[in-house]
Amino acid sequence: MARFAGGLQDELANLHSGASQYLGLVGTLAVASACVFRGGGRGDALRLAIILSVAGAGYIFARPLLAPFFILAVVIAFIAAAARPFSSQQKWLVPIGVLIMLANAIFIRRAAWLDEAVSWHLYHVLVALALAVLAKGMIVTERNMREPFA
Protein backbone atom coordinates (compact mmCIF):
# COMPACT_ATOMS: atom_id res chain seq x y z
CA MET A 1 0.00 0.00 0.00
CA ALA A 2 2.81 2.42 0.89
CA ARG A 3 4.37 1.66 -2.47
CA PHE A 4 1.42 3.09 -4.39
CA ALA A 5 0.10 5.63 -1.87
CA GLY A 6 3.53 7.16 -1.48
CA GLY A 7 4.29 7.18 -5.19
CA LEU A 8 7.21 4.82 -4.63
CA GLN A 9 6.31 2.16 -7.21
CA ASP A 10 9.73 2.11 -8.86
CA GLU A 11 11.77 2.59 -5.69
CA LEU A 12 10.09 -0.28 -3.84
CA ALA A 13 9.56 -2.64 -6.80
CA ASN A 14 12.60 -4.80 -6.01
CA LEU A 15 11.73 -4.99 -2.31
CA HIS A 16 8.14 -5.95 -3.18
CA SER A 17 9.27 -8.56 -5.70
CA GLY A 18 11.78 -10.12 -3.32
CA ALA A 19 9.36 -10.20 -0.40
CA SER A 20 6.68 -11.74 -2.62
CA GLN A 21 9.01 -14.46 -3.86
CA TYR A 22 10.38 -15.28 -0.42
CA LEU A 23 7.03 -15.25 1.36
CA GLY A 24 5.35 -17.15 -1.49
CA LEU A 25 7.91 -19.92 -1.08
CA VAL A 26 7.48 -19.83 2.72
CA GLY A 27 3.71 -20.19 2.33
CA THR A 28 4.01 -22.99 -0.18
CA LEU A 29 6.48 -24.89 2.01
CA ALA A 30 4.10 -24.39 4.95
CA VAL A 31 1.20 -25.86 2.94
CA ALA A 32 3.38 -28.82 1.93
CA SER A 33 4.48 -29.28 5.54
CA ALA A 34 0.86 -29.18 6.74
CA CYS A 35 -0.07 -31.84 4.19
CA VAL A 36 2.87 -34.09 5.04
CA PHE A 37 3.12 -33.69 8.83
CA ARG A 38 -0.42 -32.55 9.75
CA GLY A 39 0.90 -30.22 12.47
CA GLY A 40 -0.64 -29.57 15.84
CA GLY A 41 2.28 -31.13 17.64
CA ARG A 42 5.40 -30.14 19.44
CA GLY A 43 7.43 -29.91 16.24
CA ASP A 44 5.46 -27.05 14.67
CA ALA A 45 7.85 -24.29 15.79
CA LEU A 46 10.85 -26.28 14.59
CA ARG A 47 9.18 -26.94 11.22
CA LEU A 48 8.44 -23.22 10.85
CA ALA A 49 12.07 -22.35 11.63
CA ILE A 50 13.24 -24.89 9.05
CA ILE A 51 10.78 -23.53 6.46
CA LEU A 52 11.94 -19.94 7.03
CA SER A 53 15.59 -21.01 6.84
CA VAL A 54 15.21 -23.15 3.72
CA ALA A 55 13.22 -20.46 1.92
CA GLY A 56 15.75 -17.82 2.99
CA ALA A 57 18.68 -19.90 1.82
CA GLY A 58 16.92 -20.60 -1.46
CA TYR A 59 16.19 -16.92 -1.93
CA ILE A 60 19.77 -15.84 -1.16
CA PHE A 61 21.78 -18.61 -2.80
CA ALA A 62 19.52 -20.16 -5.44
CA ARG A 63 17.12 -17.47 -6.58
CA PRO A 64 16.78 -18.88 -10.12
CA LEU A 65 15.56 -22.12 -8.56
CA LEU A 66 12.69 -20.57 -6.56
CA ALA A 67 10.07 -21.48 -9.18
CA PRO A 68 11.17 -25.16 -9.33
CA PHE A 69 11.25 -25.26 -5.48
CA PHE A 70 7.72 -23.84 -5.47
CA ILE A 71 6.48 -26.40 -8.02
CA LEU A 72 8.18 -29.25 -6.13
CA ALA A 73 6.57 -28.17 -2.85
CA VAL A 74 3.13 -28.02 -4.50
CA VAL A 75 3.58 -31.48 -6.05
CA ILE A 76 4.65 -32.90 -2.66
CA ALA A 77 1.62 -31.25 -1.04
CA PHE A 78 -0.69 -32.77 -3.66
CA ILE A 79 0.73 -36.28 -3.26
CA ALA A 80 0.54 -36.06 0.54
CA ALA A 81 -3.01 -34.67 0.52
CA ALA A 82 -4.21 -37.29 -1.95
CA ALA A 83 -2.50 -40.20 -0.17
CA ARG A 84 -3.65 -39.18 3.30
CA PRO A 85 -6.80 -37.03 3.14
CA PHE A 86 -7.61 -34.54 5.87
CA SER A 87 -10.46 -35.37 8.28
CA SER A 88 -12.72 -32.66 6.91
CA GLN A 89 -16.18 -33.29 5.49
CA GLN A 90 -14.91 -32.61 1.96
CA LYS A 91 -11.74 -34.69 1.75
CA TRP A 92 -11.18 -33.68 -1.86
CA LEU A 93 -10.83 -29.94 -1.10
CA VAL A 94 -7.14 -29.95 -0.15
CA PRO A 95 -5.96 -31.77 -3.29
CA ILE A 96 -8.19 -29.46 -5.39
CA GLY A 97 -6.74 -26.37 -3.66
CA VAL A 98 -3.22 -27.60 -4.30
CA LEU A 99 -4.05 -28.31 -7.97
CA ILE A 100 -5.37 -24.75 -8.30
CA MET A 101 -2.02 -23.50 -6.95
CA LEU A 102 -0.08 -25.69 -9.36
CA ALA A 103 -2.13 -24.80 -12.44
CA ASN A 104 -2.01 -21.14 -11.45
CA ALA A 105 1.79 -21.14 -11.16
CA ILE A 106 2.30 -23.02 -14.42
CA PHE A 107 -0.38 -21.58 -16.70
CA ILE A 108 -1.33 -18.13 -15.37
CA ARG A 109 1.54 -16.38 -13.52
CA ARG A 110 3.56 -15.34 -16.57
CA ALA A 111 1.24 -16.48 -19.32
CA ALA A 112 2.35 -15.24 -22.73
CA TRP A 113 -1.23 -15.57 -23.98
CA LEU A 114 -2.51 -13.06 -21.38
CA ASP A 115 -1.83 -9.38 -20.95
CA GLU A 116 0.69 -8.84 -18.11
CA ALA A 117 -1.80 -6.98 -15.92
CA VAL A 118 -4.49 -9.58 -16.54
CA SER A 119 -2.19 -12.50 -15.68
CA TRP A 120 -0.97 -10.70 -12.55
CA HIS A 121 -4.50 -10.02 -11.28
CA LEU A 122 -5.89 -13.42 -12.28
CA TYR A 123 -2.93 -15.08 -10.56
CA HIS A 124 -3.73 -13.31 -7.29
CA VAL A 125 -7.45 -14.07 -7.52
CA LEU A 126 -6.60 -17.75 -8.00
CA VAL A 127 -4.13 -17.64 -5.08
CA ALA A 128 -6.96 -16.32 -2.88
CA LEU A 129 -9.32 -19.02 -4.18
CA ALA A 130 -6.74 -21.76 -3.58
CA LEU A 131 -6.10 -20.53 -0.03
CA ALA A 132 -9.83 -20.43 0.74
CA VAL A 133 -10.27 -23.97 -0.59
CA LEU A 134 -7.22 -25.16 1.38
CA ALA A 135 -8.46 -23.54 4.59
CA LYS A 136 -11.91 -25.10 4.23
CA GLY A 137 -10.41 -28.50 3.42
CA MET A 138 -7.96 -28.45 6.32
CA ILE A 139 -10.59 -27.68 8.95
CA VAL A 140 -11.08 -30.87 10.92
CA THR A 141 -14.69 -31.85 11.46
CA GLU A 142 -15.71 -31.27 15.04
CA ARG A 143 -16.80 -34.27 17.00
CA ASN A 144 -20.51 -34.42 17.70
CA MET A 145 -20.76 -33.67 21.41
CA ARG A 146 -23.90 -35.84 21.82
CA GLU A 147 -22.01 -38.99 20.86
CA PRO A 148 -20.88 -40.96 23.89
CA PHE A 149 -17.15 -41.29 24.31
CA ALA A 150 -15.84 -44.77 23.68
Side-chain angles (χ1 to χ4, degrees), residues 109-140:
R109 175 60 188 98
R110 295 198 185 264
W113 52 277
L114 290 172
D115 177 71
E116 185 178 350
V118 172
S119 71
W120 181 250
H121 288 93
L122 181 57
Y123 173 79
H124 284 93
V125 167
L126 290 174
V127 165
L129 175 66
L131 291 175
V133 170
L134 286 170
K136 177 67 176 163
M138 288 181 176
I139 293 173
V140 176

Side-chain angles (χ1 to χ4, degrees), residues 26-98:
V26 166
T28 304
L29 291 173
V31 167
S33 175
C35 291
V36 171
F37 298 109
R38 299 299 161 94
R42 293 178 11 197
D44 285 351
L46 177 61
R47 273 193 293 279
L48 179 59
I50 291 169
I51 287 168
L52 291 169
S53 299
V54 167
Y59 181 79
I60 292 169
F61 299 112
R63 202 164 182 187
L65 298 176
L66 289 182
F69 289 160
F70 180 91
I71 299 297
L72 180 62
V74 173
V75 169
I76 289 169
F78 176 75
I79 292 168
R84 225 176 57 174
F86 280 79
S87 299
S88 68
Q89 290 178 334
Q90 296 91 10
K91 297 180 184 314
W92 48 270
L93 281 176
V94 175
I96 293 295
V98 173

